[in-house]
Amino acid sequence: MNLEGRKIIVNKSSSELAGMLKNPEDYKDLMPEGLQSFEAREDGFKFGLKGMPEIALKIDNVSDKEVVLRSASSSLDFALTGSMNPLNEKQTEVQLLFEGKFNPFIKMMVEKPLQNFINSLTDKIEQL
């Protein structure tokens, strides 16, 4: 299952964004409304949103071109990638891409909430 967020322009350089996204604690500011729990860990973070189970993410890779977050759970196989394209010294085009391997039943249950989550993250990133 593949989902895409809309492309946005962030008024930060890609290196500024990458520096921020290396720090698990900084992801708390990007979480959507309805955040019920957030726990930063050494290599990632765990969060809970109203009406959804807790999700643990591991910060897998951070560069000036992309940020890759992977599921920290062995039972769920997915990655959330933030693609970063520097436009100039102060602006970066960002797009969130979700790729997950789910059975058809799970896909049907999670597709809409995940798209809403990606849209909400995109809105928060755009405000940086």
Side-chain angles (χ1 to χ4, degrees), residues 32 35 59 66 107:
L35 182 68
I59 300 171
E66 70 176 11
K107 179 185 176 195

Side-chain angles (χ1 to χ4, degrees), residues 48-99:
L49 298 172
K50 188 175 181 182
M52 288 180 64
E54 282 196 341
I55 298 171
L57 294 173
K58 187 177 94 180
I59 300 171
D60 192 50
N61 179 41
V62 179
S63 72
D64 286 358
K65 294 284 185 191
E66 70 176 11
V67 175
V68 180
L69 305 176
R70 295 202 179 277
S71 170
S73 166
S74 59
S75 61
L76 292 174
D77 184 12
F78 68 85
L80 179 62
T81 302
S83 171
M84 298 187 290
N85 179 27
L87 299 176
N88 56 47
E89 289 179 11
K90 295 184 180 171
Q91 289 187 316
T92 306
E93 181 183 70
V94 176
Q95 183 177 29
L96 297 179
L97 307 166
F98 178 91
E99 184 180 339

